[in-house]
Amino acid sequence: MPFPPSPRTRSGPRRRSLLAVAPAALALSGCTGGDPGGPAGDGTAAADRARARAARDSEGLAERYDAVIAARPGLTGLLGPLREEVVRHVQAFGGGRKASPSASPSAAVSASASPSPSTEVPGNDKDALAGLAAAERELADRRVKALGGVPGELARLLASVAAAGTAHVYLLTKGDA
């Protein structure tokens, strides 16, 4: 026997309808580019600083790749494509005065100044790869932590580059598992 209709007529949307629509509304509001998402008043300046810092961080990582490639030429086949990706990240953040992705890793190493003294390359391939993986992991973690304080488009770029860095960590360490 069916239940009789409720004597009260409901007005407005039902709770289930709201629960079904709320996640979609939140997702759509997060995808718009209108809200700067940063601190009120200085969103553009903060975004510019974050973008410049991200470009410098990627330039430093590219220099680490250059140092390892120069010291361990046998790793060029593995590291060359990863280094080119890091250089593309530099350019995406608005940097890129030091290196270009079209230059081969060995040409970029010989054209650039010698690696900074803090970039010491370990004596074997495994340790060199582990050092690069640690640098990639640390930088990806910093970028993920910075997501909340930057505007939407920059946050998406940082998240994408952090994900690429995590993929680099996997590629650099996949033989260690």
Side-chain angles (χ1 to χ4, degrees):
M1 174 161 116
F3 289 102
S6 172
R8 289 187 321 172
T9 59
R10 293 188 173 149
S11 63
R14 292 184 174 207
R15 182 175 24 177
R16 286 187 183 178
S17 300
L18 288 175
L19 291 174
V21 173
L26 288 173
L28 287 175
S29 68
C31 292
T32 62
D35 180 24
D42 68 336
T44 304
D48 290 343
R49 286 190 304 272
R51 186 178 294 274
R53 182 175 48 253
R56 281 191 311 272
D57 289 345
S58 289
E59 286 173 349
L61 187 58
E63 289 174 3
R64 284 190 73 133
Y65 272 95
D66 289 342
V68 172
I69 289 170
R72 314 291 306 159
L75 295 174
T76 302
L78 171 66
L79 299 181
L82 299 178
R83 182 211 176 267
E84 289 175 12
E85 190 76 18
V86 170
V87 171
R88 282 193 288 275
H89 298 160
V90 171
Q91 293 173 338
F93 288 121
R97 291 175 281 290
K98 291 185 179 181
S100 68
S102 61
S104 68
S106 59
V109 171
S110 62
S112 66
S114 62
S116 63
S118 64
T119 308
E120 293 184 21
V121 179
N124 63 47
D125 290 355
K126 185 176 180 177
D127 290 343
L129 292 175
L132 279 174
E136 286 269 16
R137 184 179 300 114
E138 188 269 331
L139 186 53
D141 290 346
R142 271 194 287 149
R143 286 179 171 155
V144 168
K145 288 177 185 173
L147 290 177
V150 296
E153 190 61 34
L154 181 56
R156 286 186 281 278
L157 179 59
L158 280 171
S160 176
V161 172
T166 302
H168 290 183
V169 170
Y170 171 77
L171 292 171
L172 291 167
T173 60
K174 67 182 177 182
D176 292 344

